[in-house]
PDB file of all heavy atoms in Angstrom:
ATOM      1  N   GLY A  52      97.878 115.414  91.624  1.00 98.00           N
ATOM      2  CA  GLY A  52      98.343 115.130  90.294  1.00 98.00           C
ATOM      3  C   GLY A  52      99.820 115.386  90.080  1.00 98.00           C
ATOM      4  O   GLY A  52     100.375 114.968  89.064  1.00 98.00           O
ATOM      5  N   GLY A  53     100.440 116.040  91.035  1.00 98.00           N
ATOM      6  CA  GLY A  53     101.845 116.349  90.929  1.00 98.00           C
ATOM      7  C   GLY A  53     102.740 115.203  91.367  1.00 98.00           C
ATOM      8  O   GLY A  53     102.284 114.103  91.667  1.00 98.00           O
ATOM      9  N   SER A  54     104.036 115.493  91.407  1.00 98.00           N
ATOM     10  CA  SER A  54     105.028 114.469  91.713  1.00 98.00           C
ATOM     11  C   SER A  54     106.041 114.970  92.736  1.00 98.00           C
ATOM     12  O   SER A  54     106.315 116.165  92.839  1.00 98.00           O
ATOM     13  CB  SER A  54     105.778 114.073  90.449  1.00 98.00           C
ATOM     14  OG  SER A  54     104.920 113.505  89.488  1.00 98.00           O
ATOM     15  N   LEU A  55     106.577 114.031  93.478  1.00 98.00           N
ATOM     16  CA  LEU A  55     107.690 114.282  94.391  1.00 98.00           C
ATOM     17  C   LEU A  55     108.623 113.082  94.346  1.00 98.00           C
ATOM     18  O   LEU A  55     108.199 111.960  94.056  1.00 98.00           O
ATOM     19  CB  LEU A  55     107.219 114.481  95.822  1.00 98.00           C
ATOM     20  CG  LEU A  55     106.537 115.806  96.182  1.00 98.00           C
ATOM     21  CD1 LEU A  55     105.989 115.728  97.611  1.00 98.00           C
ATOM     22  CD2 LEU A  55     107.522 116.968  96.070  1.00 98.00           C
ATOM     23  N   ARG A  56     109.878 113.320  94.657  1.00 98.00           N
ATOM     24  CA  ARG A  56     110.861 112.254  94.736  1.00 98.00           C
ATOM     25  C   ARG A  56     111.537 112.320  96.093  1.00 98.00           C
ATOM     26  O   ARG A  56     112.220 113.306  96.413  1.00 98.00           O
ATOM     27  CB  ARG A  56     111.893 112.382  93.626  1.00 98.00           C
ATOM     28  CG  ARG A  56     112.871 111.211  93.543  1.00 98.00           C
ATOM     29  CD  ARG A  56     113.826 111.393  92.384  1.00 98.00           C
ATOM     30  NE  ARG A  56     114.680 110.248  92.140  1.00 98.00           N
ATOM     31  CZ  ARG A  56     116.004 110.267  92.194  1.00 98.00           C
ATOM     32  NH1 ARG A  56     116.642 111.388  92.490  1.00 98.00           N
ATOM     33  NH2 ARG A  56     116.698 109.169  91.927  1.00 98.00           N
ATOM     34  N   LEU A  57     111.373 111.280  96.873  1.00 98.00           N
ATOM     35  CA  LEU A  57     111.997 111.192  98.178  1.00 98.00           C
ATOM     36  C   LEU A  57     113.313 110.421  98.082  1.00 98.00           C
ATOM     37  O   LEU A  57     113.435 109.475  97.301  1.00 98.00           O
ATOM     38  CB  LEU A  57     111.084 110.475  99.168  1.00 98.00           C
ATOM     39  CG  LEU A  57     109.658 111.026  99.339  1.00 98.00           C
ATOM     40  CD1 LEU A  57     108.926 110.234 100.413  1.00 98.00           C
ATOM     41  CD2 LEU A  57     109.681 112.496  99.660  1.00 98.00           C
ATOM     42  N   SER A  58     114.270 110.821  98.900  1.00 98.00           N
ATOM     43  CA  SER A  58     115.541 110.150  98.951  1.00 98.00           C
ATOM     44  C   SER A  58     115.865 109.793 100.393  1.00 98.00           C
ATOM     45  O   SER A  58     115.487 110.501 101.317  1.00 98.00           O
ATOM     46  CB  SER A  58     116.666 111.042  98.401  1.00 98.00           C
ATOM     47  OG  SER A  58     116.445 111.365  97.044  1.00 98.00           O
ATOM     48  N   CYS A  59     116.581 108.706 100.562  1.00 96.00           N
ATOM     49  CA  CYS A  59     117.013 108.285 101.887  1.00 96.00           C
ATOM     50  C   CYS A  59     118.385 107.631 101.772  1.00 96.00           C
ATOM     51  O   CYS A  59     118.534 106.612 101.102  1.00 96.00           O
ATOM     52  CB  CYS A  59     116.013 107.305 102.491  1.00 96.00           C
ATOM     53  SG  CYS A  59     116.514 106.604 104.080  1.00 96.00           S
ATOM     54  N   ALA A  60     119.346 108.216 102.432  1.00 95.00           N
ATOM     55  CA  ALA A  60     120.708 107.690 102.439  1.00 95.00           C
ATOM     56  C   ALA A  60     121.012 107.072 103.791  1.00 95.00           C
ATOM     57  O   ALA A  60     120.835 107.711 104.833  1.00 95.00           O
ATOM     58  CB  ALA A  60     121.703 108.793 102.114  1.00 95.00           C
ATOM     59  N   ALA A  61     121.467 105.843 103.771  1.00 93.00           N
ATOM     60  CA  ALA A  61     121.835 105.143 104.990  1.00 93.00           C
ATOM     61  C   ALA A  61     123.337 105.246 105.221  1.00 93.00           C
ATOM     62  O   ALA A  61     124.126 105.090 104.283  1.00 93.00           O
ATOM     63  CB  ALA A  61     121.428 103.675 104.916  1.00 93.00           C
ATOM     64  N   SER A  62     123.708 105.520 106.438  1.00 92.00           N
ATOM     65  CA  SER A  62     125.117 105.607 106.801  1.00 92.00           C
ATOM     66  C   SER A  62     125.357 104.854 108.091  1.00 92.00           C
ATOM     67  O   SER A  62     124.430 104.388 108.760  1.00 92.00           O
ATOM     68  CB  SER A  62     125.555 107.070 106.939  1.00 92.00           C
ATOM     69  OG  SER A  62     124.831 107.718 107.962  1.00 92.00           O
ATOM     70  N   GLY A  63     126.623 104.725 108.454  1.00 87.00           N
ATOM     71  CA  GLY A  63     126.971 103.959 109.625  1.00 87.00           C
ATOM     72  C   GLY A  63     127.091 102.490 109.288  1.00 87.00           C
ATOM     73  O   GLY A  63     127.463 102.117 108.180  1.00 87.00           O
ATOM     74  N   ARG A  64     126.728 101.650 110.233  1.00 79.00           N
ATOM     75  CA  ARG A  64     126.846 100.214 110.062  1.00 79.00           C
ATOM     76  C   ARG A  64     125.658  99.664 109.322  1.00 79.00           C
ATOM     77  O   ARG A  64     124.578  99.460 109.902  1.00 79.00           O
ATOM     78  CB  ARG A  64     127.006  99.527 111.414  1.00 79.00           C
ATOM     79  CG  ARG A  64     127.427  98.071 111.304  1.00 79.00           C
ATOM     80  CD  ARG A  64     127.570  97.417 112.654  1.00 79.00           C
ATOM     81  NE  ARG A  64     128.090  96.064 112.553  1.00 79.00           N
ATOM     82  CZ  ARG A  64     127.364  94.994 112.295  1.00 79.00           C
ATOM     83  NH1 ARG A  64     126.066  95.117 112.105  1.00 79.00           N
ATOM     84  NH2 ARG A  64     127.954  93.800 112.223  1.00 79.00           N
ATOM     85  N   THR A  65     125.832  99.421 108.028  1.00 79.00           N
ATOM     86  CA  THR A  65     124.752  98.911 107.196  1.00 79.00           C
ATOM     87  C   THR A  65     124.893  97.405 106.924  1.00 79.00           C
ATOM     88  O   THR A  65     124.044  96.822 106.232  1.00 79.00           O
ATOM     89  CB  THR A  65     124.681  99.655 105.858  1.00 79.00           C
ATOM     90  OG1 THR A  65     125.936  99.528 105.167  1.00 79.00           O
ATOM     91  CG2 THR A  65     124.390 101.124 106.079  1.00 79.00           C
ATOM     92  N   LEU A  66     125.927  96.793 107.434  1.00 78.00           N
ATOM     93  CA  LEU A  66     126.139  95.366 107.227  1.00 78.00           C
ATOM     94  C   LEU A  66     124.948  94.580 107.758  1.00 78.00           C
ATOM     95  O   LEU A  66     124.506  94.814 108.894  1.00 78.00           O
ATOM     96  CB  LEU A  66     127.426  94.898 107.913  1.00 78.00           C
ATOM     97  CG  LEU A  66     127.828  93.448 107.714  1.00 78.00           C
ATOM     98  CD1 LEU A  66     128.180  93.186 106.261  1.00 78.00           C
ATOM     99  CD2 LEU A  66     129.000  93.093 108.622  1.00 78.00           C
ATOM    100  N   GLY A  67     124.439  93.681 106.949  1.00 86.00           N
ATOM    101  CA  GLY A  67     123.297  92.886 107.333  1.00 86.00           C
ATOM    102  C   GLY A  67     121.975  93.393 106.803  1.00 86.00           C
ATOM    103  O   GLY A  67     120.955  92.697 106.912  1.00 86.00           O
ATOM    104  N   THR A  68     121.971  94.562 106.223  1.00 88.00           N
ATOM    105  CA  THR A  68     120.751  95.097 105.637  1.00 88.00           C
ATOM    106  C   THR A  68     120.304  94.247 104.461  1.00 88.00           C
ATOM    107  O   THR A  68     121.085  93.972 103.560  1.00 88.00           O
ATOM    108  CB  THR A  68     120.963  96.546 105.168  1.00 88.00           C
ATOM    109  OG1 THR A  68     121.256  97.368 106.308  1.00 88.00           O
ATOM    110  CG2 THR A  68     119.742  97.074 104.458  1.00 88.00           C
ATOM    111  N   ASN A  69     119.051  93.838 104.470  1.00 92.00           N
ATOM    112  CA  ASN A  69     118.539  93.060 103.356  1.00 92.00           C
ATOM    113  C   ASN A  69     117.451  93.776 102.565  1.00 92.00           C
ATOM    114  O   ASN A  69     117.074  93.329 101.487  1.00 92.00           O
ATOM    115  CB  ASN A  69     118.037  91.686 103.822  1.00 92.00           C
ATOM    116  CG  ASN A  69     116.934  91.776 104.862  1.00 92.00           C
ATOM    117  OD1 ASN A  69     115.895  92.381 104.624  1.00 92.00           O
ATOM    118  ND2 ASN A  69     117.175  91.165 106.015  1.00 92.00           N
ATOM    119  N   ALA A  70     116.971  94.889 103.094  1.00 94.00           N
ATOM    120  CA  ALA A  70     115.973  95.664 102.372  1.00 94.00           C
ATOM    121  C   ALA A  70     115.891  97.076 102.934  1.00 94.00           C
ATOM    122  O   ALA A  70     116.213  97.314 104.103  1.00 94.00           O
ATOM    123  CB  ALA A  70     114.598  95.003 102.445  1.00 94.00           C
ATOM    124  N   MET A  71     115.460  97.978 102.114  1.00 95.00           N
ATOM    125  CA  MET A  71     115.106  99.311 102.543  1.00 95.00           C
ATOM    126  C   MET A  71     113.728  99.615 102.005  1.00 95.00           C
ATOM    127  O   MET A  71     113.306  99.058 100.972  1.00 95.00           O
ATOM    128  CB  MET A  71     116.111 100.345 102.068  1.00 95.00           C
ATOM    129  CG  MET A  71     117.488 100.208 102.692  1.00 95.00           C
ATOM    130  SD  MET A  71     118.658 101.499 102.182  1.00 95.00           S
ATOM    131  CE  MET A  71     117.916 102.937 102.959  1.00 95.00           C
ATOM    132  N   GLY A  72     113.034 100.486 102.697  1.00 96.00           N
ATOM    133  CA  GLY A  72     111.689 100.772 102.252  1.00 96.00           C
ATOM    134  C   GLY A  72     111.159 102.082 102.801  1.00 96.00           C
ATOM    135  O   GLY A  72     111.860 102.845 103.467  1.00 96.00           O
ATOM    136  N   TRP A  73     109.892 102.299 102.492  1.00 98.00           N
ATOM    137  CA  TRP A  73     109.193 103.502 102.911  1.00 98.00           C
ATOM    138  C   TRP A  73     107.883 103.149 103.576  1.00 98.00           C
ATOM    139  O   TRP A  73     107.146 102.266 103.106  1.00 98.00           O
ATOM    140  CB  TRP A  73     108.909 104.409 101.720  1.00 98.00           C
ATOM    141  CG  TRP A  73     110.154 104.987 101.089  1.00 98.00           C
ATOM    142  CD1 TRP A  73     110.871 104.484 100.061  1.00 98.00           C
ATOM    143  CD2 TRP A  73     110.789 106.202 101.481  1.00 98.00           C
ATOM    144  NE1 TRP A  73     111.938 105.296  99.779  1.00 98.00           N
ATOM    145  CE2 TRP A  73     111.912 106.356 100.634  1.00 98.00           C
ATOM    146  CE3 TRP A  73     110.529 107.167 102.456  1.00 98.00           C
ATOM    147  CZ2 TRP A  73     112.779 107.456 100.746  1.00 98.00           C
ATOM    148  CZ3 TRP A  73     111.395 108.245 102.561  1.00 98.00           C
ATOM    149  CH2 TRP A  73     112.498 108.376 101.709  1.00 98.00           C
ATOM    150  N   PHE A  74     107.602 103.834 104.656  1.00 98.00           N
ATOM    151  CA  PHE A  74     106.324 103.764 105.352  1.00 98.00           C
ATOM    152  C   PHE A  74     105.757 105.172 105.439  1.00 98.00           C
ATOM    153  O   PHE A  74     106.462 106.159 105.236  1.00 98.00           O
ATOM    154  CB  PHE A  74     106.495 103.179 106.754  1.00 98.00           C
ATOM    155  CG  PHE A  74     106.841 101.724 106.769  1.00 98.00           C
ATOM    156  CD1 PHE A  74     108.096 101.275 106.376  1.00 98.00           C
ATOM    157  CD2 PHE A  74     105.922 100.787 107.216  1.00 98.00           C
ATOM    158  CE1 PHE A  74     108.427  99.940 106.405  1.00 98.00           C
ATOM    159  CE2 PHE A  74     106.248  99.441 107.260  1.00 98.00           C
ATOM    160  CZ  PHE A  74     107.496  99.010 106.847  1.00 98.00           C
ATOM    161  N   ARG A  75     104.479 105.255 105.765  1.00 98.00           N
ATOM    162  CA  ARG A  75     103.882 106.560 105.963  1.00 98.00           C
ATOM    163  C   ARG A  75     102.846 106.486 107.065  1.00 98.00           C
ATOM    164  O   ARG A  75     102.286 105.432 107.352  1.00 98.00           O
ATOM    165  CB  ARG A  75     103.245 107.096 104.689  1.00 98.00           C
ATOM    166  CG  ARG A  75     102.033 106.327 104.194  1.00 98.00           C
ATOM    167  CD  ARG A  75     101.583 106.845 102.838  1.00 98.00           C
ATOM    168  NE  ARG A  75     100.385 106.160 102.362  1.00 98.00           N
ATOM    169  CZ  ARG A  75      99.857 106.329 101.162  1.00 98.00           C
ATOM    170  NH1 ARG A  75     100.431 107.177 100.291  1.00 98.00           N
ATOM    171  NH2 ARG A  75      98.760 105.674 100.796  1.00 98.00           N
ATOM    172  N   GLN A  76     102.606 107.625 107.673  1.00 98.00           N
ATOM    173  CA  GLN A  76     101.624 107.714 108.732  1.00 98.00           C
ATOM    174  C   GLN A  76     100.891 109.039 108.628  1.00 98.00           C
ATOM    175  O   GLN A  76     101.491 110.099 108.701  1.00 98.00           O
ATOM    176  CB  GLN A  76     102.281 107.597 110.112  1.00 98.00           C
ATOM    177  CG  GLN A  76     101.302 107.509 111.249  1.00 98.00           C
ATOM    178  CD  GLN A  76     101.962 107.149 112.548  1.00 98.00           C
ATOM    179  OE1 GLN A  76     103.154 107.357 112.737  1.00 98.00           O
ATOM    180  NE2 GLN A  76     101.178 106.578 113.467  1.00 98.00           N
ATOM    181  N   ALA A  77      99.586 108.938 108.459  1.00 97.00           N
ATOM    182  CA  ALA A  77      98.719 110.103 108.450  1.00 97.00           C
ATOM    183  C   ALA A  77      98.179 110.325 109.857  1.00 97.00           C
ATOM    184  O   ALA A  77      98.100 109.401 110.660  1.00 97.00           O
ATOM    185  CB  ALA A  77      97.575 109.901 107.465  1.00 97.00           C
ATOM    186  N   PRO A  78      97.774 111.561 110.162  1.00 92.00           N
ATOM    187  CA  PRO A  78      97.249 111.837 111.505  1.00 92.00           C
ATOM    188  C   PRO A  78      96.074 110.923 111.865  1.00 92.00           C
ATOM    189  O   PRO A  78      95.158 110.749 111.077  1.00 92.00           O
ATOM    190  CB  PRO A  78      96.788 113.291 111.404  1.00 92.00           C
ATOM    191  CG  PRO A  78      97.659 113.876 110.338  1.00 92.00           C
ATOM    192  CD  PRO A  78      97.847 112.761 109.343  1.00 92.00           C
ATOM    193  N   GLY A  79      96.144 110.324 113.033  1.00 94.00           N
ATOM    194  CA  GLY A  79      95.086 109.465 113.506  1.00 94.00           C
ATOM    195  C   GLY A  79      95.073 108.077 112.914  1.00 94.00           C
ATOM    196  O   GLY A  79      94.155 107.294 113.193  1.00 94.00           O
ATOM    197  N   LYS A  80      96.048 107.756 112.096  1.00 96.00           N
ATOM    198  CA  LYS A  80      96.092 106.461 111.459  1.00 96.00           C
ATOM    199  C   LYS A  80      97.370 105.701 111.819  1.00 96.00           C
ATOM    200  O   LYS A  80      98.344 106.288 112.283  1.00 96.00           O
ATOM    201  CB  LYS A  80      96.007 106.594 109.932  1.00 96.00           C
ATOM    202  CG  LYS A  80      94.685 107.175 109.435  1.00 96.00           C
ATOM    203  CD  LYS A  80      94.620 107.162 107.925  1.00 96.00           C
ATOM    204  CE  LYS A  80      93.292 107.679 107.424  1.00 96.00           C
ATOM    205  NZ  LYS A  80      93.222 107.672 105.936  1.00 96.00           N
ATOM    206  N   GLU A  81      97.313 104.408 111.602  1.00 97.00           N
ATOM    207  CA  GLU A  81      98.468 103.565 111.848  1.00 97.00           C
ATOM    208  C   GLU A  81      99.527 103.773 110.768  1.00 97.00           C
ATOM    209  O   GLU A  81      99.212 104.111 109.617  1.00 97.00           O
ATOM    210  CB  GLU A  81      98.072 102.090 111.888  1.00 97.00           C
ATOM    211  CG  GLU A  81      97.115 101.717 113.001  1.00 97.00           C
ATOM    212  CD  GLU A  81      97.789 101.717 114.343  1.00 97.00           C
ATOM    213  OE1 GLU A  81      98.997 101.433 114.413  1.00 97.00           O
ATOM    214  OE2 GLU A  81      97.100 102.000 115.339  1.00 97.00           O
ATOM    215  N   ARG A  82     100.759 103.566 111.143  1.00 97.00           N
ATOM    216  CA  ARG A  82     101.806 103.592 110.143  1.00 97.00           C
ATOM    217  C   ARG A  82     101.636 102.430 109.176  1.00 97.00           C
ATOM    218  O   ARG A  82     101.401 101.300 109.596  1.00 97.00           O
ATOM    219  CB  ARG A  82     103.182 103.525 110.831  1.00 97.00           C
ATOM    220  CG  ARG A  82     104.351 103.677 109.881  1.00 97.00           C
ATOM    221  CD  ARG A  82     105.674 103.704 110.629  1.00 97.00           C
ATOM    222  NE  ARG A  82     105.762 104.852 111.528  1.00 97.00           N
ATOM    223  CZ  ARG A  82     106.836 105.147 112.253  1.00 97.00           C
ATOM    224  NH1 ARG A  82     107.922 104.375 112.163  1.00 97.00           N
ATOM    225  NH2 ARG A  82     106.825 106.193 113.042  1.00 97.00           N
ATOM    226  N   GLU A  83     101.747 102.711 107.896  1.00 97.00           N
ATOM    227  CA  GLU A  83     101.517 101.692 106.903  1.00 97.00           C
ATOM    228  C   GLU A  83     102.693 101.551 105.945  1.00 97.00           C
ATOM    229  O   GLU A  83     103.391 102.514 105.647  1.00 97.00           O
ATOM    230  CB  GLU A  83     100.235 101.964 106.105  1.00 97.00           C
ATOM    231  CG  GLU A  83     100.294 103.219 105.261  1.00 97.00           C
ATOM    232  CD  GLU A  83      99.076 103.399 104.367  1.00 97.00           C
ATOM    233  OE1 GLU A  83      98.343 102.409 104.140  1.00 97.00           O
ATOM    234  OE2 GLU A  83      98.860 104.537 103.889  1.00 97.00           O
ATOM    235  N   PHE A  84     102.872 100.353 105.474  1.00 98.00           N
ATOM    236  CA  PHE A  84     103.895 100.063 104.496  1.00 98.00           C
ATOM    237  C   PHE A  84     103.531 100.680 103.160  1.00 98.00           C
ATOM    238  O   PHE A  84     102.378 100.588 102.718  1.00 98.00           O
ATOM    239  CB  PHE A  84     104.061  98.553 104.344  1.00 98.00           C
ATOM    240  CG  PHE A  84     104.970  98.122 103.247  1.00 98.00           C
ATOM    241  CD1 PHE A  84     106.341  98.132 103.410  1.00 98.00           C
ATOM    242  CD2 PHE A  84     104.459  97.689 102.034  1.00 98.00           C
ATOM    243  CE1 PHE A  84     107.194  97.736 102.404  1.00 98.00           C
ATOM    244  CE2 PHE A  84     105.287  97.285 101.014  1.00 98.00           C
ATOM    245  CZ  PHE A  84     106.664  97.314 101.200  1.00 98.00           C
ATOM    246  N   VAL A  85     104.498 101.287 102.512  1.00 98.00           N
ATOM    247  CA  VAL A  85     104.279 101.907 101.207  1.00 98.00           C
ATOM    248  C   VAL A  85     105.009 101.134 100.101  1.00 98.00           C
ATOM    249  O   VAL A  85     104.398 100.727  99.115  1.00 98.00           O
ATOM    250  CB  VAL A  85     104.737 103.376 101.181  1.00 98.00           C
ATOM    251  CG1 VAL A  85     104.609 103.970  99.787  1.00 98.00           C
ATOM    252  CG2 VAL A  85     103.941 104.197 102.200  1.00 98.00           C
ATOM    253  N   ALA A  86     106.285 100.957 100.276  1.00 98.00           N
ATOM    254  CA  ALA A  86     107.091 100.276  99.250  1.00 98.00           C
ATOM    255  C   ALA A  86     108.392  99.780  99.867  1.00 98.00           C
ATOM    256  O   ALA A  86     108.903 100.377 100.813  1.00 98.00           O
ATOM    257  CB  ALA A  86     107.393 101.216  98.077  1.00 98.00           C
ATOM    258  N   GLY A  87     108.926  98.713  99.310  1.00 97.00           N
ATOM    259  CA  GLY A  87     110.185  98.192  99.759  1.00 97.00           C
ATOM    260  C   GLY A  87     110.970  97.601  98.610  1.00 97.00           C
ATOM    261  O   GLY A  87     110.410  97.258  97.568  1.00 97.00           O
ATOM    262  N   ILE A  88     112.273  97.480  98.822  1.00 97.00           N
ATOM    263  CA  ILE A  88     113.134  96.902  97.799  1.00 97.00           C
ATOM    264  C   ILE A  88     114.243  96.110  98.486  1.00 97.00           C
ATOM    265  O   ILE A  88     114.873  96.587  99.417  1.00 97.00           O
ATOM    266  CB  ILE A  88     113.696  97.988  96.854  1.00 97.00           C
ATOM    267  CG1 ILE A  88     114.516  97.354  95.725  1.00 97.00           C
ATOM    268  CG2 ILE A  88     114.513  99.010  97.623  1.00 97.00           C
ATOM    269  CD1 ILE A  88     114.822  98.337  94.601  1.00 97.00           C
ATOM    270  N   THR A  89     114.463  94.877  98.036  1.00 95.00           N
ATOM    271  CA  THR A  89     115.523  94.075  98.608  1.00 95.00           C
ATOM    272  C   THR A  89     116.862  94.522  98.076  1.00 95.00           C
ATOM    273  O   THR A  89     116.970  95.089  96.991  1.00 95.00           O
ATOM    274  CB  THR A  89     115.314  92.578  98.324  1.00 95.00           C
ATOM    275  OG1 THR A  89     115.415  92.333  96.918  1.00 95.00           O
ATOM    276  CG2 THR A  89     113.967  92.109  98.825  1.00 95.00           C
ATOM    277  N   TRP A  90     117.903  94.267  98.867  1.00 89.00           N
ATOM    278  CA  TRP A  90     119.221  94.769  98.529  1.00 89.00           C
ATOM    279  C   TRP A  90     120.002  93.864  97.598  1.00 89.00           C
ATOM    280  O   TRP A  90     120.982  94.281  96.998  1.00 89.00           O
ATOM    281  CB  TRP A  90     120.017  95.013  99.812  1.00 89.00           C
ATOM    282  CG  TRP A  90     120.836  96.258  99.754  1.00 89.00           C
ATOM    283  CD1 TRP A  90     122.194  96.350  99.857  1.00 89.00           C
ATOM    284  CD2 TRP A  90     120.358  97.594  99.559  1.00 89.00           C
ATOM    285  NE1 TRP A  90     122.588  97.650  99.753  1.00 89.00           N
ATOM    286  CE2 TRP A  90     121.490  98.445  99.565  1.00 89.00           C
ATOM    287  CE3 TRP A  90     119.091  98.151  99.386  1.00 89.00           C
ATOM    288  CZ2 TRP A  90     121.367  99.820  99.395  1.00 89.00           C
ATOM    289  CZ3 TRP A  90     118.969  99.524  99.220  1.00 89.00           C
ATOM    290  CH2 TRP A  90     120.112 100.330  99.226  1.00 89.00           C
ATOM    291  N   ASN A  91     119.583  92.613  97.484  1.00 88.00           N
ATOM    292  CA  ASN A  91     120.314  91.684  96.631  1.00 88.00           C
ATOM    293  C   ASN A  91     119.804  91.677  95.194  1.00 88.00           C
ATOM    294  O   ASN A  91     120.545  92.012  94.265  1.00 88.00           O
ATOM    295  CB  ASN A  91     120.306  90.274  97.235  1.00 88.00           C
ATOM    296  CG  ASN A  91     118.910  89.829  97.660  1.00 88.00           C
ATOM    297  OD1 ASN A  91     117.922  90.491  97.396  1.00 88.00           O
ATOM    298  ND2 ASN A  91     118.862  88.679  98.334  1.00 88.00           N
ATOM    299  N   TYR A  92     118.552  91.319  95.005  1.00 92.00           N
ATOM    300  CA  TYR A  92     117.991  91.230  93.672  1.00 92.00           C
ATOM    301  C   TYR A  92     117.167  92.458  93.263  1.00 92.00           C
ATOM    302  O   TYR A  92     116.731  92.556  92.120  1.00 92.00           O
ATOM    303  CB  TYR A  92     117.135  89.982  93.530  1.00 92.00           C
ATOM    304  CG  TYR A  92     117.903  88.698  93.713  1.00 92.00           C
ATOM    305  CD1 TYR A  92     117.742  87.917  94.850  1.00 92.00           C
ATOM    306  CD2 TYR A  92     118.820  88.277  92.740  1.00 92.00           C
ATOM    307  CE1 TYR A  92     118.462  86.742  95.012  1.00 92.00           C
ATOM    308  CE2 TYR A  92     119.535  87.106  92.908  1.00 92.00           C
ATOM    309  CZ  TYR A  92     119.341  86.350  94.045  1.00 92.00           C
ATOM    310  OH  TYR A  92     120.061  85.179  94.207  1.00 92.00           O
ATOM    311  N   GLY A  93     116.945  93.358  94.186  1.00 94.00           N
ATOM    312  CA  GLY A  93     116.144  94.529  93.894  1.00 94.00           C
ATOM    313  C   GLY A  93     114.680  94.208  93.705  1.00 94.00           C
ATOM    314  O   GLY A  93     113.986  94.899  92.948  1.00 94.00           O
ATOM    315  N   PHE A  94     114.202  93.175  94.387  1.00 96.00           N
ATOM    316  CA  PHE A  94     112.789  92.847  94.318  1.00 96.00           C
ATOM    317  C   PHE A  94     111.957  93.942  94.975  1.00 96.00           C
ATOM    318  O   PHE A  94     112.251  94.364  96.089  1.00 96.00           O
ATOM    319  CB  PHE A  94     112.523  91.505  95.005  1.00 96.00           C
ATOM    320  CG  PHE A  94     111.091  91.097  95.003  1.00 96.00           C
ATOM    321  CD1 PHE A  94     110.527  90.522  93.878  1.00 96.00           C
ATOM    322  CD2 PHE A  94     110.287  91.295  96.106  1.00 96.00           C
ATOM    323  CE1 PHE A  94     109.204  90.136  93.863  1.00 96.00           C
ATOM    324  CE2 PHE A  94     108.955  90.928  96.103  1.00 96.00           C
ATOM    325  CZ  PHE A  94     108.427  90.340  94.962  1.00 96.00           C
ATOM    326  N   ARG A  95     110.928  94.367  94.280  1.00 98.00           N
ATOM    327  CA  ARG A  95     110.120  95.482  94.728  1.00 98.00           C
ATOM    328  C   ARG A  95     108.744  95.020  95.178  1.00 98.00           C
ATOM    329  O   ARG A  95     108.162  94.102  94.608  1.00 98.00           O
ATOM    330  CB  ARG A  95     109.953  96.518  93.616  1.00 98.00           C
ATOM    331  CG  ARG A  95     111.257  97.195  93.210  1.00 98.00           C
ATOM    332  CD  ARG A  95     111.078  97.932  91.903  1.00 98.00           C
ATOM    333  NE  ARG A  95     112.233  98.767  91.580  1.00 98.00           N
ATOM    334  CZ  ARG A  95     113.330  98.328  90.995  1.00 98.00           C
ATOM    335  NH1 ARG A  95     113.467  97.048  90.671  1.00 98.00           N
ATOM    336  NH2 ARG A  95     114.329  99.166  90.720  1.00 98.00           N
TER     337      ARG A  95
END
C-alpha cells in the first residue's frame, strides 16, 4: 500500500535515444516491461 519513487539519470552519449523505461525481474522469473516513455512526445 505504500509508495516509492525511482529515478534514473542517463549520462554520456545519449544522442539517438528515443525512449527510456523501466523493467523488473523477480527471482525465478523473466525480466518484464513495466513502463516506458518516448523522448519526443512523452508517450507513455
Side-chain angles (χ1 to χ4, degrees):
S54 299
L55 286 173
R56 186 178 188 241
L57 306 183
S58 299
C59 175
S62 61
R64 192 180 186 277
T65 59
L66 184 65
T68 296
N69 59 58
M71 293 183 67
W73 294 92
F74 291 71
R75 67 186 182 187
Q76 187 170 24
K80 295 185 178 180
E81 297 287 330
R82 185 176 297 183
E83 65 174 343
F84 173 80
V85 176
I88 184 167
T89 65
W90 220 241
N91 48 8
Y92 298 109
F94 179 80
R95 296 166 171 84

